[in-house]
Structures are given as C-alpha cells and as structure tokens.
C-alpha cells in the first residue's frame, strides 16, 4: 500500500531550509554525492505536468559491494518497465514504439506548433505509461490532427514501425487511428462508477472477454481462510475455450522476456547481498518469478519483512491493486533504495510505540490487534523507481499487503525522504499557499511546520495506519467484501489514523513534534485539500475516481458535514473567493476518530453497503461552482497540478568485467530518458 503525494501538501510543505537550495545548474551526466546545494530540482514541464529530479544523498557512503548491489537492483527495476505499458492497455507497447520511432527519426520541422503538440502528447504518454491520464484515468488524445500525425509516421523510419506482418503503412495508420484519436475506444482505464460492470467498462489489460460476475465467481472458488495467498495479483484473467482461466506473469508465461531479465539481475544481486537474510529474500523473489506460485510470493514477503539489517532494499513485484477496478490484480512496480539513517530515527520512534497507538485508538475493542507484530519503519533514499511507481511516485509505502502476514510476521513501513525533499523544494515556489491559505496565521504556520506535519502524517499513515486493526474471524478479505470501494476505504482509514494521532500529546512526548501548531498545520492543509484544492486535478464536470482523492474528500467532507452543528469547519468567502476555515481543532480530531472507528468497523465486518454509502455520499461528487473557482484560481498561478521524476542513472565503473565502483548521474531531460529506456529496456513484444 502506498501513499501518493498529497497535492496540496506537496505545494505547502516548505521550510526555510529548502527555499535557499535551488539555484544553479548541473551539467548532463555529471556525478554528485547527493548533497549538492546548487542542484536544480526542476526539469521540463508540459501539459499539466512538471518534471522534477531528486538527489541520492548517502550513496557515496556505501561500500563498493553495496554500490554494486544497488546497480543490480536498479537494473532489476528497469527491466520490468515494459510490463506496466501492457498492463494499462494491450496496445500500450505498440503505441509507445510508434511514438518513439517518430520522436527519434522524424526529419521534418521540429519547431512547428504541431510538432510541439505531438511532443507534449509523447510526454503525457510516457508520464502515464500509456494514453490514460495517470490520475484521472480518462483517455487523452493528441492535440495535433491525425493528418499531421500520419505525416509524422510517413516521414519517419517506416521500416521500424510496429506493423503486423505484411501490413502497409496506410493500413497501420488506419488500425491505430481509433486507438489514438477516438475517445470512445478504451475511454477509461479504471471505471469505479456504481451500477456498472466495472471490469467490462475499464480498459486496463487485466481482464479480457470476461464480465465482473464471471471474475468474481471464479475467485470466489478460492479459499481465503487462514494463511492462504491473495489470489489473482500476478495474472491476466480471460477465457479460453469458454472457460475462465488465468494467464500467469512468470518466466515461461506472460511477460516472460522482461521477467527473465529481472531474474538475471536478481541473481547478480544475490551474489553480492549484504547478509544471509537479504540473500534469502532475493532468492525467494527470483523463485517466485520463475514459478508464478503465489505461495512463493508469500514466502518472499515473510523473508523480506525479516530483513531489517540491510542498508539497501527493494520493493518489487505485482503489488498495488489501485489499477484494478475490483482490487485483485497487482500493477508492476519497483522502488530501490538506501536507508536514510538520520530520518529513520523519527519514524522508528513512532513504530516502536505501535502497540500503544493500537491500544489507545478510538476503534471498537474487538477490532484492535492485541499483539501488534514487528513493524519495521524507516526513511529511505530512493535511487531508482519504475513501473507504477514512476514517473509519478509514492511518498510512503507499507508492505506486504496480506493481512495475515502483517498479523503473524509484521510489515515494513517506509517514507521516501529524498522524494519528499524534492517536492518541498519545488513547492516553495508555487504561490498556492498565498492564494488558498485563509490568513497569515494559517500561512505562517504551514510555512513553519508544513514539511514536518506532512512527514509525520505520512509516517503514521504507513507505519501505524495500514498496520492497525483486524478483520473479524470468518470475514473474507476486502477484495471480496468491499470490492470496488476497498482501496478508497483502506487509504481513508490509514489517513485517519495519522490525522487522529497528530493531535496527540504522545508525539510531543516522543520528541518527534515540538508543539500542536504542527498538528494544526496538518489539519488546515488536509481540510483545504480534501474540501477544495485537490479539485484542480479534475476536468470541470468530472466526478472523483482516483482512490486517494476519494479518500481525502471522504474524510474531509464527512467531518465538515458532521461538524456543521458546532461549526467545526466552514467555507468562508472573502473578496469573492472561497476559503476553508477550521474553527475547532479538538472537535475535528474527535470527528476524525469517529470516522476511523466506523471505517474500521466496515473493514472488520465486511459491511459493503455501509462502505459504498460512505464513499458515494462523501467521496465522489463534486460541487461544480467550487470546482470552477478552484480551476480559475490555479490557472492564474500557472502551477502544474501534477509532478513526477526523472530518475537518476547508476553508472558502473569497470575494470575488465568487474565492477569496481558505481557513480550516480542526474539526467536533466525526461524526454531523453524515456527514449534511452525505450532502447535499452524494451524486452516485450508488441502482443503479449
């Protein structure tokens, strides 16, 4: 489970130390120790996207053997890159190769306005790993005409197009026209609307030729009692000979070419593992990729959770289920990292008190864990992300997903410290706080404490939020009980744990928070975002579809509505502009606790109707007039609502066939990096 960057907090979480760290420029390909005060965070911007760059502090502290391990894990991550394109659409790799061919080989005028429109489309496509918006899920099309696009194709290397055998260029163009330009073809990646077949109305390539009922009936035959695997995360479900079957992602199965490369680099990594426990975990991950057996994946997760001593780590696999309309299939992702030793002290202080937080939570007694198993919490410095974790990245991760592994073996909770730092630097320039902040008190409090409040909320969301509570005996897993609402409710639950406890004296006693102004900064920012400013991410007239956006509006609007009689939170108008005002922070905390108690009850008891009612009532619908106002105010700021990252590049220093050192380079161009990846890591065929 991962926490995507809160859009408002990403812009608000700033401190004085960050505002002076963003001048100067680095040359392409030069190395750094990761602490360069002149490092330029911003890269290209286009459409609604701002590309950023992040440093890797601490890399130079690693031993040569650790650096070699990091290089191999970086290659593991990138070797699976093709998979996410095919998961998002069975046409995804074919369309990407078409764009890459044009971008590399077109010989015409690259200063024309239409070329700029094509280039923007390429950027959007690469950013989203396909032609559906990475956040809104809706299909987007090129702004240049199809006639112009056809000319680009014909003026490029037509021999290198991903045509079918014997297919002419004109026939190829006819075939791809609706895939690129027809908004009724694969219109929505994930459709979570109520009252429809969420599988057949979603274009994500996890299912083919099957209805939602057929899929649910298929998986209902699998037992989820006891320590059974989470069924379905590593396969495509489809029909063969009229029967529903799984096409497993493994060596020798679907996506074999990419997975074989991942296994190759994993085996290199195993040879230089830091310790026996890490070696065991990596061996089990390789074994899982070879077998496709979900019991092997569980064995890997148990070994991975037990590896607490290693400095280098990786999350890798078919993990998060947000991209599946019914929450079963895992999108490929990988995050390779180094432990941030200093920042880990804060998150560990919270993790070490996990049982206290559980015992003192507002949950019903029967829904609390009596014995919270080891939560390994740390801050990490990322050095490579791929798949569903890039270019748009999480800021926190808590894994594994299986509740029984969490209960019996524990979990790992991480905060991505260098990613958050890069967001903070970029956010200091945005002007959003001055536009939407209620008054100087609110603004100054967020300026002073916004970064810390965001860090603490993320820490608690991942560390004690996802790890808290338990499902009642005999109740099925949430993919069966809560179905399409499971992801939203789980993220809402984890957010509420962080919101409830950030206003607790315990954090001050632990030494991780200086005073309650930190908590007030978090409440101001969270309510502002959930009730208002996150709407900048939607097109006017759209409802909210993305799970994290739904969760934030659900939490904020429920508290707003339930607190109306006491005027806990209100909308206020000043000079024709709308603001969000928190009037009673303690009562707001009480409301967060009440909602947390109810959402945990829904999860523990598998109460689908109550969960559906919460999400549909508070998390989906948008006030059109407020939405229009937010969009107009953001437009005047010229702030991009979405941010993502150009990845560092790990370059081995060789002596013969031996790696003697590894250097970190920081590419400046997202477009050049995408083209490089397209050449170096294109392992899968067009059809899988």
């Amino acid at each position: 489970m991962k926490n995507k960057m809160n859009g408002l907090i990403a812009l608000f979480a700033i401190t004085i130390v960050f505002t002076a760290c963003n001048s100067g420029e680095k040359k392409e390909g030069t190395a750094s120790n990761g602490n360069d005060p002149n490092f330029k965070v911003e890269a290209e911007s286009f459409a609604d996207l701002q590309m950023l760059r992040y440093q890797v502090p601490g890399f130079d502290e690693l031993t040569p053997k650790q650096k070699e391990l990091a290089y191999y894990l970086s290659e593991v991550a990138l070797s699976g890159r093709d998979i996410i394109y095919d998961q998002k659409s069975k046409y995804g790799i074919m369309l990407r190769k078409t764009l890459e061919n044009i971008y590399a080989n077109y010989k015409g005028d690259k200063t024309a306005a239409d070329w700029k429109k094509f280039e923007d489309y390429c950027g959007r496509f690469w950013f989203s790993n396909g032609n559906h918006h990475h956040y809104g899920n809706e299909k987007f099309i090129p702004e240049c005409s199809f006639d112009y696009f056809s000319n680009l194709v014909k003026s490029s290397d037509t021999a290198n197009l991903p045509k079918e055998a014997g297919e002419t260029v004109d026939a190829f163009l006819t075939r791809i026209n609706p895939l690129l330009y027809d908004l009724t073809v694969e219109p929505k990646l994930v459709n979570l609307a109520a009252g429809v077949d969420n599988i057949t109305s979603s274009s994500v390539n996890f299912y083919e030729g099957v209805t939602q009922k057929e899929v649910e009936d298929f998986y209902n035959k699998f037992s989820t009692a006891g320590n059974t695997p989470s069924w379905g995360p590593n396969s495509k479900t489809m029909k063969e000979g009229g029967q529903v079957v799984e096409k497993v992602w493994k060596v020798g199965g679907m996506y074999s070419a990419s997975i074989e490369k991942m296994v190759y680099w994993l085996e290199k990594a195993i040879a230089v593992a830091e310790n026996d426990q890490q070696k065991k975990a990596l061996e089990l991950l390789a074994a899982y990729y070879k077998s496709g057996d979900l019991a092997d994946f569980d064995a890997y997760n148990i070994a991975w959770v037990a590896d607490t001593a290693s400095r280098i780590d990786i999350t890798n696999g078919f993990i998060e289920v947000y991209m599946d309309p019914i929450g079963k299939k895992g999108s490929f992702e990988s995050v390779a990292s180094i432990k941030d030793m200093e920042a880990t002290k804060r998150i560990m202080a919270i993790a070490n008190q996990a049982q206290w937080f559980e015992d003192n939570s507002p949950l019903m007694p029967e829904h609390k864990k009596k014995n919270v198993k080891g939560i390994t919490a740390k801050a990490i410095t990322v050095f490579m992300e791929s798949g569903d974790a890039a270019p748009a990245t999480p800021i926190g991760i808590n894994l594994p997903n299986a509740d029984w592994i969490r209960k019996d073996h524990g979990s790992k909770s991480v905060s991505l410290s260098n990613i958050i730092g890069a967001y903070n630097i970029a956010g200091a320039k945005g002007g959003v706080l001055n536009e939407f902040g209620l008054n100087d008190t609110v603004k100054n409090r967020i300026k002073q404490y916004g970064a810390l409040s965001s860090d603490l909320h993320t820490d608690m969301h991942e560390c004690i939020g996802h790890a808290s509570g338990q499902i009642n005996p005999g109740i099925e897993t949430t993919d069966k009980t809560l179905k399409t609402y499971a992801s939203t409710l789980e993220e809402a639950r984890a957010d509420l744990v962080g919101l409830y406890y950030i206003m607790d004296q315990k954090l001050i006693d632990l030494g991780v928070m200086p005073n309650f102004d930190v908590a007030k900064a978090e409440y101001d920012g969270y309510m502002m975002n959930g009730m208002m400013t996150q709407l900048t991410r939607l097109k006017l007239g759209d409802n909210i579809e993305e799970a994290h956006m739904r969760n934030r509006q659900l939490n904020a609007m429920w508290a707003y509505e339930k607190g109306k009689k006491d005027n806990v939170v209100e909308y206020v108008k000043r000079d024709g502009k709308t603001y969000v005002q928190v009037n009673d922070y303690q009562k707001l905390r009480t409301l967060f606790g009440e909602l947390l108690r109810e959402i945990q009850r829904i999860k523990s008891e598998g109460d689908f109707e109550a969960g559906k009612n919460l999400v549909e009532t508070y998390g989906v619908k948008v006030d059109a007039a407020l939405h229009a106002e937010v969009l107009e105010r953001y437009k005047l700021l010229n702030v991009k609502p979405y941010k993502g990252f150009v990845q560092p590049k790990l370059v081995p220093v060789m002596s013969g066939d031996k790696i003697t050192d590894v250097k970190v380079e920081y590419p400046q161009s997202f477009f050049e990096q995408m083209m490089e990846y397209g050449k170096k890591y294109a392992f899968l065929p067009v059809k899988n």
Side-chain angles (χ1 to χ4, degrees), residues 219-231 476-477 480:
Y219 284 109
N220 282 339
K221 297 174 184 176
F222 292 76
S223 172
T224 56
N227 297 351
T228 53
S230 302
W231 302 110
E476 296 276 14
T477 52
K480 288 186 177 181

Side-chain angles (χ1 to χ4, degrees), residues 464-499:
I464 58 175
H466 285 307
S468 68
Q470 62 183 2
I471 296 176
N472 290 358
I475 300 299
E476 296 276 14
T477 52
T478 57
D479 61 316
K480 288 186 177 181
T481 58
L482 304 182
K483 301 180 181 180
T484 56
Y485 301 101
S487 292
T488 293
L489 290 167
E490 178 59 25
E491 292 304 317
R493 193 181 69 88
D495 259 9
L496 287 164
V497 170
L499 291 168

Side-chain angles (χ1 to χ4, degrees), residues 1 224 226-230 298 301-302 369 371-373 398-411 465-472 475-482 486 490 493 600 603-604:
M1 301 170 201
T224 56
N227 297 351
T228 53
S230 302
D298 285 346
N301 278 308
I302 293 168
K369 287 180 178 174
N371 184 19
V372 178
K373 288 294 176 71
N398 185 285
L399 293 172
N401 288 332
D403 278 318
W404 72 265
I405 297 180
R406 292 170 176 274
K407 181 179 179 182
D408 294 345
H409 301 278
S411 61
H466 285 307
S468 68
Q470 62 183 2
I471 296 176
N472 290 358
I475 300 299
E476 296 276 14
T477 52
T478 57
D479 61 316
K480 288 186 177 181
T481 58
L482 304 182
E490 178 59 25
R493 193 181 69 88
Q600 181 62 58
K603 179 179 180 179
S604 296

